[in-house]
Amino acid sequence: MAAHRYLSLPRRLAALILVVGLSCLLVNVSISLMMAWNGTLTERPSYAIIIPLLILILGACAAKRVVRNYAEIEEQLRGLAFLSATSDLKLHPVHGSDPVASGWNYIIDRFSGKSALSRLEARLAQGSRGPTDAPLMEVLDQLPDGYALTDANGRITQASRAFRMLLNMTGTGTGQSVEQILHGISADQTGALMQRLKGSGRAVVMEFVIGEGETTTFLRVARHAQADRGYVWILRDISQQKLAEEMRTQFVMTATHELRTPLANIKAYSESLALYDDIDPEEQKHFFNTIHSEATRLARFVDELLNVSQMEAGSLSLATHETDISRLIEEVMVNLQPEIERKKIHFEQRLPAKIPRLCVDKDKLTASLVNLVGNAVKYTPDEGKVRLEVELTPTEMLIHVEDTGFGIAPDDQAKLFDKFFRSSDERVQAISGSGLGLAFTQEVARLHGGRIAVHSELNKGSRFTMTLPRLRLQAAS
Amino acid sequence: MDVAGKRVLVAEDNRVMSDVIRFNLQRTGAVVTVASTGSKALEMLRTEDFDALLSDYQMPGLNGEELCRKVRHCGRNEQIPIVMISAKGYEIDKPRLQEELGLTRFLHKPFSARQMVDVVQEALSSART
């Protein structure tokens, strides 16, 4: 369509000139004939015919030149527009001084240096080729998603760097079949994939899992059919997305349980108090105390959630004041005394004669130590031992919390400080916990410029050590 | 119905919860025994007769589901009506469990004390028919 319109332009121009010339001729001949018939045409009748004829001939010559130039330019432009990888296009100037011809000649002149022209030609030729060329692959190599092109037989013709890395391929992969590579990784999943590929239309997308445990990679595999030359395969690593989804599910499960359990108790106890007027006063008091402690537990969980959401937003900050650390530890112990007594834990405390005052966030550090000592009590069987020790070095203050509890498996130790992590150990699962305490405690230690470490042996016990830079925290005050 | 004198076994590891269940069931005249783990509950069911079992789903060691499966083949109390209590959400398939384990009811935490008593009474009356 477009090509046809381009070609018709000079013809229209030529037709216009001819029509104008012929009209002139027709008018002159008519006037001459009319004058001859009236008898007014007496002398030099040939002028009336010769002058319009001259105009017509000159016009036709000019039109021919312009039309030839336009046709030449058009041919070259068409060559550029429909340039193919194989065509050998040469651009050249045209004769003439009309605006279009001089404009064209100016462009040719600009690129007249042989190298410049050949560069243009090379660039135009490159742009017109398919996506299998080197420059495009260079770009694809920089992308985190993996791309590969396969021919109609499913053999790889090109594979980007990420594609090869995601499938652990060595070499360029050229000539290999993507299906076979996937089959080598997991025959089961490839079977399902092949089923989908067979019955597919143009595009197929499915998930593919590589490896297991810690090193699991979740891939989204997409295959798009090309009109006539095989397929484009696109791989995307969606492991992070999967991890986030898993964590969210875990969170909802933990939060549901952590909210429901104290709520259930509050509801049942308060309802019992309302139902019966004749409850023994001692028992009534016990009911009220239970409601109070369950409400406290609920409030603590909500606080933990808020802390963690602040941690995630990066806005958990300290409000530091000069603090008496001995008093702070006393407060921690007041908090935990009821539980220690209930479980008949043998608690031992070893503190230096004098602990320096430090500039810390009292509330957050208290909560952190309640977490550490509280965990020791919680995960130690009845009548076990828990020890709290403060050790001072010239520059640091070390707070050790040691227990004779369940201990933590080496695999679990690595994930212990992750948000919402809870050991799959049955003994731990049977005890309620949010999986947020240690994540918060570690963050509080870090914000104070300190750190936290754990040494633990399964079925023997654990020892957590929080280290605070006391010189710096003293200087701060 | 009159539940006075009926023997109800409560398998619940959370002491705070088992106390309030015991309190409410005793008010109806039922004879309540509490087992703090699934294994202890199973042991009791093998040695004594009970009229109904109220079991928590999440317990250390033998959990509520495993306990119920074992009860159905333990040689004693095999037909006992069971009420399961759970604080779990969608992660357990409750209709399937109810069907498979022959549970009278699933009671969701937090539940009302009166509702709990009603459900236990329903379980006790279902045993009679």
Side-chain angles (χ1 to χ4, degrees):
Chain A
M1 280 290 281
H4 176 73
R5 212 163 58 221
Y6 276 126
L7 278 174
S8 70
L9 184 68
R11 282 181 190 158
R12 265 190 233 165
L13 206 63
L16 192 70
I17 292 166
L18 280 168
V19 166
V20 170
L22 282 171
S23 308
C24 282
L25 189 66
L26 203 66
V27 168
N28 276 290
V29 170
S30 316
I31 291 170
S32 300
L33 284 174
M34 214 161 65
M35 285 164 83
W37 189 60
N38 287 344
T40 47
L41 184 71
T42 48
E43 49 186 62
R44 297 194 333 198
S46 56
Y47 284 121
I49 302 196
I50 290 164
I51 291 169
L53 259 178
L54 224 60
I55 292 172
L56 187 64
I57 292 161
L58 282 173
C61 286
K64 194 182 167 196
R65 163 69 60 85
V66 171
V67 167
R68 199 180 59 211
N69 278 350
Y70 280 20
E72 223 170 285
I73 291 169
E74 257 174 355
E75 196 182 327
Q76 295 187 55
L77 284 172
R78 276 190 72 203
L80 276 178
F82 300 102
L83 195 69
S84 72
T86 49
S87 73
D88 190 21
L89 182 79
K90 286 282 172 276
L91 303 176
H92 55 85
V94 293
H95 298 290
S97 52
D98 62 284
V100 176
S102 38
W104 175 254
N105 289 344
Y106 176 73
I107 293 171
I108 298 301
D109 206 39
R110 282 285 313 264
F111 294 101
S112 65
K114 205 170 169 112
S115 59
L117 189 62
S118 56
R119 226 176 20 243
L120 172 74
E121 281 170 357
R123 269 173 66 181
L124 288 166
Q126 203 172 61
S128 73
R129 274 188 225 152
T132 55
D133 287 290
L136 189 56
M137 246 326 143
E138 273 169 29
V139 175
L140 294 181
D141 273 348
Q142 304 304 315
L143 299 179
D145 288 350
Y147 296 87
L149 295 162
T150 55
D151 58 22
N153 299 319
R155 305 276 161 196
I156 294 176
T157 52
Q158 296 255 340
S160 77
R161 187 176 315 179
F163 189 93
R164 286 174 273 135
M165 274 174 61
L166 287 170
L167 295 183
N168 297 318
M169 290 161 62
T170 49
T172 61
T174 310
Q176 294 185 49
S177 132
V178 178
E179 282 94 336
Q180 270 171 20
I181 296 169
L182 292 174
H183 192 269
I185 295 166
S186 163
D188 293 353
Q189 295 177 75
T190 313
L193 178 70
M194 293 307 287
Q195 281 301 319
R196 300 239 349 239
L197 292 178
K198 266 180 203 155
S200 81
R202 287 183 62 76
V204 181
V205 182
M206 71 170 282
E207 285 178 15
F208 200 83
V209 187
I210 298 179
E212 50 191 302
E214 287 295 285
T215 55
T216 306
T217 307
F218 291 89
L219 286 186
R220 179 176 295 143
V221 182
R223 194 195 71 174
H224 300 273
Q226 299 291 87
D228 53 350
R229 39 192 171 135
Y231 301 98
V232 179
W233 291 78
I234 305 170
L235 300 183
R236 174 167 291 185
D237 187 343
I238 53 165
S239 307
Q240 288 300 317
Q241 201 178 319
K242 284 275 170 192
L243 199 68
E245 277 170 24
E246 199 180 300
M247 271 183 70
R248 206 195 56 201
T249 311
Q250 179 66 41
F251 163 70
V252 172
M253 266 159 57
T254 308
T256 313
H257 188 261
E258 282 306 287
L259 292 171
R260 271 187 177 160
T261 306
L263 258 182
N265 288 333
I266 291 169
K267 192 168 171 177
Y269 276 86
S270 56
E271 197 189 345
S272 304
L273 281 168
L275 271 176
Y276 306 106
D277 302 325
D278 57 340
I279 307 173
D280 170 65
E282 267 304 302
E283 195 154 32
Q284 261 189 26
K285 195 169 178 236
H286 168 64
F287 279 22
F288 281 122
N289 283 339
T290 305
I291 292 169
H292 178 257
S293 66
E294 292 296 298
T296 307
R297 184 176 148 192
L298 207 53
R300 197 164 55 223
F301 179 64
V302 173
D303 282 345
E304 281 181 345
L305 278 183
L306 284 175
N307 283 333
V308 161
S309 84
Q310 275 189 306
M311 269 163 62
E312 284 191 333
S315 60
L316 187 72
S317 56
L318 301 179
T320 54
H321 299 283
E322 197 186 309
T323 307
D324 183 338
I325 300 296
S326 311
R327 285 280 300 279
L328 188 148
I329 290 173
E330 259 173 48
E331 241 173 80
V332 170
M333 292 327 297
V334 166
N335 231 301
L336 296 166
Q337 206 54 46
E339 193 58 12
I340 289 173
E341 280 170 17
R342 193 184 71 76
K343 291 189 75 174
K344 300 188 180 73
I345 297 285
H346 301 283
F347 183 76
E348 190 191 338
Q349 187 169 294
R350 204 180 282 178
L351 306 179
K354 191 174 182 307
I355 304 179
R357 294 168 73 86
L358 298 181
C359 199
V360 295
D361 185 318
K362 187 171 164 249
D363 291 344
K364 292 199 174 69
L365 193 60
T366 306
S368 299
L369 294 181
V370 166
N371 279 338
L372 285 185
V373 184
N375 280 349
V377 174
K378 202 153 105 175
Y379 299 115
T380 296
D382 288 6
E383 296 175 33
K385 282 184 199 160
V386 173
R387 195 164 74 124
L388 172 68
E389 184 184 350
V390 174
E391 182 191 346
L392 293 172
T393 74
T395 56
E396 292 177 324
M397 180 171 80
L398 286 75
I399 304 166
H400 305 286
V401 179
E402 214 175 322
D403 64 52
T404 57
F406 307 151
I408 305 152
D411 279 356
D412 288 349
Q413 287 183 29
K415 292 179 267 180
L416 203 54
F417 297 98
D418 292 353
K419 286 184 290 281
F420 302 115
F421 172 77
R422 293 210 73 211
S423 167
S424 49
D425 189 318
E426 258 185 8
R427 297 169 298 181
V428 175
Q429 284 292 318
I431 298 169
S432 85
S434 62
L436 297 175
L438 283 178
F440 171 74
T441 302
Q442 186 185 43
E443 183 65 5
V444 169
R446 196 187 66 79
L447 287 171
H448 281 96
R451 61 189 181 277
I452 190 161
V454 58
H455 294 282
S456 182
E457 209 174 317
L458 208 54
N459 301 322
K460 291 216 168 142
S462 309
R463 177 187 167 102
F464 285 81
T465 301
M466 184 192 273
T467 307
L468 295 173
R470 79 168 164 117
L471 267 193
R472 223 167 83 199
L473 295 172
Q474 266 174 303
S477 63
Chain B
M1 74 166 274
D2 185 20
V3 296
K6 295 285 175 192
R7 291 146 303 171
V8 179
L9 178 63
V10 177
E12 165 67 82
D13 62 309
N14 183 326
R15 177 74 192 277
V16 179
M17 181 45 75
S18 64
D19 277 355
V20 78
I21 291 173
R22 183 209 296 267
F23 172 86
N24 279 280
L25 288 179
Q26 276 177 346
R27 284 262 161 175
T28 66
V31 179
V32 182
T33 310
V34 172
S36 61
T37 66
S39 332
K40 282 180 190 166
L42 185 64
E43 200 43 50
M44 289 178 188
L45 285 158
R46 277 180 176 145
T47 50
E48 295 170 47
D49 288 326
F50 290 96
D51 297 305
L53 168 64
L54 187 66
S55 173
D56 190 17
Y57 183 83
Q58 200 173 10
M59 287 188 290
L62 200 66
N63 71 24
E65 183 181 341
E66 293 157 346
L67 168 66
C68 294
R69 282 190 202 288
K70 287 195 158 51
V71 169
R72 294 296 181 217
H73 303 98
C74 78
R76 195 170 188 168
N77 294 306
E78 281 185 2
Q79 300 303 315
I80 192 169
I82 303 174
V83 174
M84 185 82 89
I85 314 167
S86 170
K88 293 238 179 215
Y90 54 82
E91 64 269 30
I92 55 171
D93 186 350
K94 287 169 186 165
R96 181 184 62 80
L97 283 180
Q98 196 160 354
E99 170 78 30
E100 273 183 30
L101 306 175
L103 306 178
T104 305
R105 276 293 190 91
F106 236 111
L107 203 56
H108 305 273
K109 284 185 185 176
F111 53 79
S112 118
R114 183 171 292 201
Q115 184 197 2
M116 184 270 297
V117 170
D118 287 349
V119 169
V120 172
Q121 283 181 341
E122 184 193 324
L124 286 168
S125 60
S126 77
R128 177 160 294 186
T129 53

